[in-house]
Amino acid sequence: MLRAPALTPALAPIDPAGLADALKPFGESRMLPPAAYVDPAVFDWEQRNFFGGGWTCLGFSAELASPGDQRAESVGDGSVLLTRDEDGVLHAFANFCRHRGHELLPCGISAQRQSIVCPYHSWTFALDGSLRTAKGFKGEAGFDETRWGLVELPVCEWHGLIFVDGSGRAGSLVQSLSDLEPLVAPYEPERLVIRGRHTYDAAANWKILTENYHECYHCPMIHPELCRVSPPKSGENYRPAGAWVGGWMDLRDGMTTMSLDGTSSGAPLRGLDETGLRTVIYVNIFPNVLLSLHPDYVMTHRLTPLAADRTIIECTWAFAPEALELADFDPGYAVEFWDITNKQDWGACESVHRALGSPHDVAGPLSPDEDAVYQYVTMVARGYRGQSVWDPDARLAVAG
Ligand code: FES
Ligand SMILES: [Fe+2]
C-alpha cells in the first residue's frame, strides 16, 4: 500500500557534500553524486518521496473516459486504483480493500464495471469508493459501513493527463504548474487523439533519461536526423517556478515539423500562433512526464522506474482530430522520427548508467549549454534535502 512520507522532511540517504556541490551556482556546480543513480537505498527513497510522495502521472484521461472504467497503476512502492464514476468524475484510491487489504485490481490491468468488487471476499464498493455491501455483515451490531469506504487520494486531470498525489499532502498541482499552463494550453493536448504508442525498456536510471532530455549538447554527436530539421544550439530554456523544467527549439527554414524530411502528413494545431508553428517546446513535469509540443502533434514520454538501473518508457504521439480525417494522414512521419531518436537517446543513457557504477566515477561539471540540466539537478537535490518539489513558493525562495 502507499506509505505517506514522514511529516518531518525526509532526507535522502546521500552524501550531503555531493548535494552541496550540485547546488553551487551554475558554472561551478557538479552533477548529482553517482550514488543518486545507482544506490538502491536512494531509489527506494525516491519511490516513497518523489513518486509516492507527490504528484505522479498515471496516464491519460482518454483511457478512463466512460463511467465504470477502472485501472490500477503502480505508484512509488504502492499502487492506485482509478475509477470514472456515473457523473464523469475521476477518483483515485489506494488500491487495497478495507476488509483485509487484498488488491482491488492488479497493477496494469483495466476493467469496465459499475462497481468495484474485491476478488478476495467480494466486498463491493461504488465507483466513488463508498462501501456498498460487505457479505455477512448485514445487520451486524457495531458495523458502520460508512467507516469502511476506500482511501481516496487527490487526483487531477491536467490537459488530458492524470496525476495522483500519493501522499495527499503535495498541495495544488494546478498551482504548481500555473506558469506552465499558458505554454501548454494553446496545444490543447486534451483534444488530441493518440495514434502512435511505443513502450521502451531502458537499462538506465530514470533521472539520466530526464537529464538527457534537457540538453541538446549531445545532438550533433548522436542525432543526425534531428539536427537536419532543428538547429541543436537554437532556442532557450524557461525559468519555471513550479514542478517542471523545459525549453524550446527552432525548426530550420523550410521544415514544418520534426520528421525525417521535415514535412508533416498531419495538420497544424489550431491554437498556435506564428511562433508555435516554428518551434518545438520540450518540458519535463516532475517526476515522470516529458511533454514535447510540436506544431502538429504532441509526444508524451511517461517514465516508470522499476529499479535504479531500469526504466520503462511509454511514448505516445497524439494528433488533432481533423488530421485523422485527411486522406493521406499517417502518424508514421512523427513516430518513425522519434523512434529513431529515442533509441539513440536510450543507448547513450545506458552507457552513462554503466559508467556511474564504476568505483572511479565522480560527479562531472555542466557545460554552458546544460542550464536546464542544472535546473533539474538542483530541483532533485533540494528534494533530497526534504524540500517540497511541488511548492512554487519554496522554489522561488531558494532561487531568489
Ligand atoms: S480483503 Fe477484500 S473482501 Fe476481504
Ligand atoms: Fe537526445
Side-chain angles (χ1 to χ4, degrees):
M1 74 181 65
L2 290 168
R3 243 186 290 149
L7 283 173
T8 49
L11 305 184
I14 198 160
D15 173 26
L19 295 186
D21 283 346
L23 287 163
K24 283 180 178 169
F26 186 49
E28 301 168 30
S29 76
R30 296 286 178 267
M31 291 296 288
L32 295 167
Y37 304 91
V38 296
D39 185 344
V42 175
F43 179 80
D44 290 346
W45 185 94
E46 292 173 341
Q47 288 290 89
R48 266 195 312 281
N49 292 278
F50 285 161
F51 287 84
W55 291 102
T56 295
C57 180
L58 298 194
F60 297 93
S61 298
E63 294 169 340
L64 287 127
S66 306
D69 282 347
Q70 306 177 20
R71 182 165 178 84
E73 286 281 343
S74 64
V75 185
D77 50 8
S79 67
V80 166
L81 176 71
L82 298 164
T83 67
R84 181 80 62 185
D85 75 15
E86 298 83 353
D87 298 322
V89 177
L90 187 70
H91 297 271
F93 308 104
N95 183 24
F96 64 88
C97 177
R98 294 301 305 281
H99 175 222
R100 285 195 12 236
H102 197 285
E103 276 182 347
L104 297 160
L105 207 58
C107 283
I109 298 296
S110 298
Q112 162 53 234
R113 208 160 33 201
Q114 296 312 308
S115 59
I116 304 160
V117 182
C118 176
Y120 200 10
H121 313 97
S122 74
W123 279 29
T124 303
F125 302 85
L127 295 169
D128 67 2
S130 55
L131 177 61
R132 259 190 196 154
T133 56
K135 190 176 64 182
F137 278 85
K138 197 168 172 55
E140 269 312 283
F143 182 72
D144 177 2
E145 57 195 31
T146 62
R147 279 190 57 195
W148 301 108
L150 301 180
V151 176
E152 189 148 17
L153 300 168
V155 63
C156 180
E157 293 181 88
W158 191 85
H159 290 296
L161 291 167
I162 297 172
F163 292 85
V164 171
D165 171 13
S167 73
R169 290 196 292 269
S172 161
L173 180 71
V174 169
Q175 189 185 345
S176 187
L177 299 182
S178 60
D179 54 349
L180 180 58
E181 171 66 28
L183 292 175
V184 173
Y187 292 84
E188 303 178 282
E190 64 280 5
R191 189 179 79 92
L192 307 185
V193 184
I194 292 173
R195 277 293 180 270
R197 188 185 293 263
H198 274 293
T199 301
Y200 304 93
D201 188 341
N205 185 269
W206 63 281
K207 299 186 299 299
I208 297 174
L209 301 171
T210 310
E211 289 158 0
N212 172 78
Y213 181 75
H214 283 313
E215 49 93 359
C216 214
Y217 186 41
H218 68 266
C219 293
M221 291 302 289
I222 72 168
H223 295 317
E225 297 83 3
L226 184 148
C227 292
R228 275 203 291 274
V229 286
S230 182
K233 282 187 82 71
S234 65
E236 285 176 22
N237 293 314
Y238 303 109
R239 292 282 172 270
W244 65 280
V245 172
W248 56 271
M249 288 174 63
D250 286 323
L251 291 166
R252 289 191 190 277
D253 288 346
M255 305 293 170
T256 57
T257 192
M258 301 297 274
S259 66
L260 289 173
D261 63 2
T263 66
S264 168
S265 80
L269 301 180
R270 66 183 183 183
L272 302 187
D273 60 14
E274 257 323 290
T275 304
L277 295 172
R278 300 298 317 143
T279 51
V280 183
I281 293 177
Y282 300 93
V283 294
N284 158 230
I285 301 173
F286 189 87
N288 71 329
V289 176
L290 312 177
L291 200 58
S292 304
L293 305 159
H294 298 69
D296 54 340
Y297 63 93
V298 169
M299 176 174 67
T300 306
H301 294 86
R302 189 167 71 92
L303 277 49
T304 303
L306 298 185
D309 61 355
R310 188 171 170 210
T311 307
I312 300 294
I313 306 128
E314 182 191 46
C315 188
T316 56
W317 291 262
F319 304 83
E322 55 272 22
L324 277 45
E325 306 297 320
L326 299 172
D328 60 348
F329 174 73
D330 178 350
Y333 75 96
V335 174
E336 187 187 355
F337 173 86
W338 279 111
D339 185 44
I340 290 169
T341 309
N342 282 337
K343 287 172 178 161
Q344 293 163 341
D345 278 324
W346 312 154
C349 292
E350 290 178 342
S351 174
V352 169
H353 190 99
R354 287 192 293 275
L356 285 162
S358 159
H360 309 295
D361 192 32
V362 292
L366 290 94
S367 85
D369 287 342
E370 294 173 295
D371 59 310
V373 179
Y374 175 74
Q375 290 188 44
Y376 177 72
V377 160
T378 51
M379 176 192 281
V380 172
R382 289 195 300 270
Y384 284 158
R385 286 179 160 184
Q387 179 187 312
S388 171
V389 171
W390 289 275
D391 180 355
D393 293 336
R395 190 163 169 193
L396 282 177
V398 172

